[in-house]
Amino acid sequence: EPEVTQTPSHQVTQMGQEVILRCVPISNHLYFYWYRQILGQKVEFLVSFYNNEISEKSEIFDDQFSVERPDGSNFTLKIRSTKLEDSAMYFCASSTELAGYNEQFFGPGTRLTVL
Amino acid sequence: AQRVTQPEKLLSVFKGAPVELKCNYSYSGSPELFWYVQYSRQRLQLLLRHISRESIKGFTADLNKGETSFHLKKPFAQEEDSAMYYCALKFGNTGKLIFGQGTTLQVKP
C-alpha cells in the first residue's frame, strides 16, 4: 500500500542554520500539508499546498518558513534560520481531495532538534 | 474560534473494560470529525470518520451536535488498543485538520 515518506527521520541542527525537511506524498495525491508537534503539545497545522502554491498558512508559518514541490514528487519544508522553539516533530500529509471526509495520509515524521 | 478539546491526557483501563475517550469541539458550521490513532513508533493513521458511522476495530464514535461531542467508545478494550488517540476537526477551504491534545489509552492485562 502506498505511503507518505519523510526524510530524514531525525535532524539535529544549530540555531540559526537552515534546514530542509523532505516528504514524498502518495503519487496521485493533490493536496499537501505540513503539521508540527512540539513535545507534549498538540499537533498543529502549518501550511497547505495545492496546485503549486500555498493555499493556507497558519500564524506559525512566518517568513522563516517556505514550502515547495520542486520536481513533482518531493514536497519540502524549509526553515531558513532555525530557532530553539522550532524543535518539534514535523509531519507531512497528503490527500486526494478536499471535499467531504477524505482522509489525510500522514508520514512518519521528522524529529527536528535545534541546539 | 474553532477548537477541539480532549480533556484526558491519559486513560488507563484493564483489558475487557469499556473505554470512552472524550472529544468536544467548538465550530459554528457543520463539523467534519475524525479520530486518528498513533500506535507506538508508528505514524498517525485514520481510525474512523463520523460520516461513515462505521465500527473499526470495535470502536465507534457518535456525533452529538447538541453537546458538541464526538466521543470514541469501545465496549471491551484489548491490550493492542494501547495507543495515542487524537480527535480532529476538518475546517476551512483547504482541508486542514485541527487536532485535540490527544489521549493516551493504556490497556492493562
Side-chain angles (χ1 to χ4, degrees):
Chain A
E1 189 171 323
E3 288 185 328
V4 176
T5 60
Q6 289 185 243
T7 54
S9 56
H10 191 188
Q11 172 98 45
V12 181
T13 189
Q14 296 290 325
M15 191 169 58
Q17 295 296 303
E18 175 184 286
V19 293
I20 298 176
L21 309 183
R22 291 185 166 79
C23 169
V24 180
I26 295 172
S27 63
N28 64 336
H29 285 191
L30 301 174
Y31 300 88
F32 312 111
Y33 306 85
W34 283 101
Y35 295 84
R36 79 168 186 193
Q37 186 176 31
I38 295 171
L39 188 64
Q41 297 186 25
K42 61 171 69 177
V43 177
E44 302 172 285
F45 167 78
L46 289 178
V47 66
S48 58
F49 191 86
Y50 169 69
N51 202 25
N52 273 325
E53 59 183 28
I54 290 173
S55 43
E56 185 176 357
K57 57 185 181 181
S58 73
E59 54 202 32
I60 303 167
F61 195 90
D62 62 22
D63 292 344
Q64 294 300 310
F65 290 87
S66 62
V67 289
E68 63 174 1
R69 192 156 156 78
D71 56 13
S73 61
N74 289 282
F75 177 49
T76 62
L77 174 69
K78 184 195 290 187
I79 309 175
R80 245 179 291 280
S81 176
T82 50
K83 307 187 198 71
L84 294 176
E85 54 265 36
D86 293 328
S87 294
M89 194 77 164
Y90 288 81
F91 296 104
C92 172
S94 68
S95 67
T96 53
E97 298 174 37
L98 273 184
Y101 292 81
N102 209 54
E103 177 180 355
Q104 285 184 26
F105 291 82
F106 282 80
T110 292
R111 181 169 300 284
L112 177 63
T113 302
V114 182
L115 303 176
Chain B
Q2 297 70 35
R3 191 167 59 244
V4 176
T5 303
Q6 293 178 250
E8 304 136 329
K9 282 191 99 165
L10 172 67
L11 185 61
S12 187
V13 301
F14 286 101
K15 178 181 164 182
V19 167
E20 183 179 54
L21 290 92
K22 291 185 168 41
C23 171
N24 288 90
Y25 67 90
S26 171
Y27 181 51
S28 56
S30 190
E32 297 178 17
L33 288 155
F34 303 81
W35 277 98
Y36 277 81
V37 61
Q38 189 172 30
Y39 299 102
S40 178
R41 286 188 284 278
Q42 294 188 29
R43 64 188 66 207
L44 273 165
Q45 56 188 276
L46 181 67
L47 180 62
L48 53 77
R49 64 201 96 189
H50 100 253
I51 193 66
S52 309
R53 302 188 64 79
E54 56 199 341
S55 173
I56 303 290
K57 299 184 180 184
F59 285 97
T60 58
D62 288 320
L63 176 62
N64 184 323
K65 289 187 179 180
E67 295 182 0
T68 59
S69 68
F70 186 55
H71 303 328
L72 183 68
K73 298 178 186 178
K74 184 168 182 175
F76 307 104
Q78 303 299 313
E79 287 179 70
E80 56 265 30
D81 296 329
S82 294
M84 187 75 157
Y85 291 81
Y86 294 95
C87 183
L89 170 71
K90 188 175 174 186
F91 164 66
N93 298 328
T94 61
K96 73 180 182 190
L97 295 172
I98 297 173
F99 286 87
Q101 296 92 325
T103 298
T104 300
L105 175 63
Q106 185 183 75
V107 181
K108 297 178 283 193

